[in-house]
Amino acid sequence: MTINFQLGRPAADARIVVAMSGGVDSSVVAALAAKTGAEVIGVTLQLYDHGEAVKRSGSCCAGQDIYDAKTVCDRLGIAHYVLDYESRFRTGVIDRFADEYAQGRTPVPCSLCNQGVKFTDLIGFARDLGADCLATGHYVRRVEREGSVEMWKGRDPARDQSYFLYGTTRDQLDYLRFPLGDLPKSETRRLAVEAGLVVADKPDSQDICFVPDGDYAGLVKRLRPETAAPGQIVDLEGRVLGEHQGVVHFTIGQRRGIEIGGQPEPLYVVRIEPEEQKLVVGPRRALAVAAARVEGINWLAENQVEVEAKVRSLAKPVKGSWDGERLTFAAPEYGVAPGQSAVFYDGDRLLGGGTIVATEAAVIDEAVAA
């Protein structure tokens, strides 16, 4: 398979930098870039200190992953650099993740990472090398249309990663290339086998690379011990129903772990009040949200009033309207929490997005909800 990297000049005179995590996706991108005849340079970020990185599995940009990326580059006959970004990643992503949890929010660290070290810094490094573009293994499409560059969802809905890339600027998008945007994962793995890459059967990394064991609470407790303090569980009227063993164990919309019996309906976390170490719980209808206030908006396309909004990575976009500050849902939406990303679409085209900072409850008739 040959991919057009849209270099703007003959490939023999061009240079492509590939962001390589050590996984199959970015490795195939490197192989596709090498096929063009351009000079290709692989770059891997070391995001953890060496002792910790070697022990990690199921993550990305760790010890084994760095070795895998180098092995792929050796196979392809291209140069490979490793950049030590451990300190910058800790302050820009891990510490912010812990701070958000400590404030009772639901953070999206992959978006923070893409807006920081993975795009801003890598693009700067690629430009310093005189590269014509930076190519990544993300499953999104870069579409040139009517004199502008747009980001579209990956053609395979199961692999689309546009939700995490809403913070990409127009200048960055002009420089980036996403060769896998039109492919299903099965084709990517086939190409890896065809190229003889050792990572062809390597499992996909975890969504949150720095918590490969899935124990978010354990990480946050180590970094922000105050989040493990016990506190009260109260209902919507403030009546004490029981106790919890730390707000770090809960996010808005969660049912598991409340463990309060004798209630007429299942209880969910409706609100977290971290300063008082308090959980406010209620029935599912109390989670219904009519609107959300969104800040830090980045527009990749024109600002539209009528949008399709996605508020969780695995959720389907829903219809809504945007007035410059508030996103109002066409129908009550559930599972919306401060800290999450609200990403706007027009069909497959990504318009932009920002961070939810507050929500407005929807009034749901009890009889209808039942």
Side-chain angles (χ1 to χ4, degrees), residues 45-48 56 60-61 85-103 105-121 164 206-212 216 219-220 223-224 339:
L45 302 178
Q46 179 178 309
L47 301 180
Y48 314 102
R56 290 179 182 269
C60 74
C61 305
Y85 276 34
E86 188 271 336
S87 176
R88 196 172 303 189
F89 184 74
R90 174 170 289 278
T91 57
V93 179
I94 298 178
D95 285 347
R96 288 180 65 181
F97 174 83
D99 287 340
E100 288 286 285
Y101 255 97
Q103 294 172 34
R105 302 188 184 198
T106 306
V108 185
C110 296
S111 296
L112 290 176
C113 185
N114 287 324
Q115 292 173 37
V117 295
K118 280 194 177 174
F119 276 3
T120 302
D121 294 333
F164 301 109
Q206 301 291 327
D207 281 347
I208 300 182
C209 62
F210 56 88
V211 195
Y216 312 130
L219 171 72
V220 177
L223 297 176
R224 305 292 182 267

Side-chain angles (χ1 to χ4, degrees), residues 21-25 57-61 65 118 159 161 185 189 202-209 212:
S21 67
V24 63
D25 298 327
S57 62
S59 59
C60 74
C61 305
D65 304 298
K118 280 194 177 174
R159 301 301 305 176
Q161 293 173 299
K185 185 63 177 248
R189 290 201 181 276
K202 187 174 181 177
D204 291 339
S205 62
Q206 301 291 327
D207 281 347
I208 300 182
C209 62

Side-chain angles (χ1 to χ4, degrees), residues 13-235:
D13 301 324
R15 176 177 293 166
I16 301 172
V17 169
V18 179
M20 299 186 67
S21 67
V24 63
D25 298 327
S26 57
S27 296
V28 167
V29 170
L32 292 172
K35 275 190 172 183
T36 66
E39 179 188 2
V40 180
I41 299 172
V43 179
T44 302
L45 302 178
Q46 179 178 309
L47 301 180
Y48 314 102
D49 66 79
H50 180 72
E52 191 175 3
V54 170
K55 296 182 291 183
R56 290 179 182 269
S57 62
S59 59
C60 74
C61 305
Q64 181 62 46
D65 304 298
I66 294 171
Y67 176 80
D68 289 343
K70 182 181 184 306
T71 301
V72 168
C73 288
D74 288 345
R75 165 74 179 177
L76 298 174
I78 65 176
H80 180 242
Y81 294 102
V82 178
L83 305 182
D84 183 359
Y85 276 34
E86 188 271 336
S87 176
R88 196 172 303 189
F89 184 74
R90 174 170 289 278
T91 57
V93 179
I94 298 178
D95 285 347
R96 288 180 65 181
F97 174 83
D99 287 340
E100 288 286 285
Y101 255 97
Q103 294 172 34
R105 302 188 184 198
T106 306
V108 185
C110 296
S111 296
L112 290 176
C113 185
N114 287 324
Q115 292 173 37
V117 295
K118 280 194 177 174
F119 276 3
T120 302
D121 294 333
L122 269 180
I123 286 177
F125 181 78
R127 289 188 188 279
D128 287 344
L129 290 179
D132 295 81
C133 65
L134 172 69
T136 82
H138 291 99
Y139 285 85
V140 294
R141 287 177 285 166
R142 177 185 179 277
V143 177
E144 295 187 3
R145 192 174 66 150
E146 298 176 356
S148 64
V149 182
E150 302 171 344
M151 184 182 293
W152 287 44
K153 295 177 185 176
R155 196 173 296 279
D156 181 355
R159 301 301 305 176
D160 170 51
Q161 293 173 299
S162 60
Y163 178 79
F164 301 109
L165 300 181
Y166 75 86
T168 306
T169 67
R170 297 184 188 191
D171 181 62
Q172 289 172 341
L173 185 58
D174 188 59
Y175 191 69
L176 289 163
R177 301 294 186 272
F178 307 108
L180 306 185
D182 284 306
L183 306 182
K185 185 63 177 248
S186 58
E187 177 64 8
T188 299
R189 290 201 181 276
R190 189 195 68 78
L191 290 172
V193 171
E194 183 181 272
L197 306 182
V198 296
V199 296
D201 295 323
K202 187 174 181 177
D204 291 339
S205 62
Q206 301 291 327
D207 281 347
I208 300 182
C209 62
F210 56 88
V211 195
D213 59 0
D215 184 12
Y216 312 130
L219 171 72
V220 177
K221 282 193 290 187
R222 289 195 300 274
L223 297 176
R224 305 292 182 267
E226 68 275 12
T227 61
Q232 294 179 336
I233 301 176
V234 304
D235 65 14

Side-chain angles (χ1 to χ4, degrees), residues 241-361:
L241 302 179
E243 289 191 350
H244 63 81
Q245 298 304 308
V247 294
V248 68
H249 298 288
F250 299 90
T251 56
I252 290 175
Q254 183 174 324
R255 179 181 174 187
R256 178 180 52 82
I258 297 177
E259 298 178 355
I260 295 175
Q263 301 297 312
E265 301 177 69
L267 297 176
Y268 299 81
V269 178
V270 176
R271 191 168 66 251
I272 300 174
E273 299 178 358
E275 292 184 0
E276 299 181 17
Q277 299 294 340
K278 185 181 295 182
L279 292 181
V280 180
V281 300
R284 184 177 182 275
R285 61 180 173 276
L287 292 171
V289 168
R293 186 158 58 89
V294 184
E295 294 183 352
I297 292 285
N298 175 66
W299 290 106
L300 267 172
E302 70 278 7
N303 183 340
Q304 293 189 187
V305 174
E306 300 301 320
V307 298
E308 294 174 292
K310 189 171 182 176
V311 295
R312 295 179 307 284
S313 62
L314 298 179
K316 293 182 178 180
V318 296
K319 292 183 178 180
S321 58
W322 171 250
D323 66 5
E325 182 176 322
R326 285 167 74 252
L327 167 64
T328 302
F329 298 104
E333 184 69 8
Y334 293 81
V336 185
Q340 291 174 324
S341 300
V343 181
F344 306 146
Y345 295 89
D346 178 6
D348 281 351
R349 185 167 60 114
L350 188 149
L351 301 174
T355 301
I356 297 171
V357 297
T359 60
E360 299 174 20

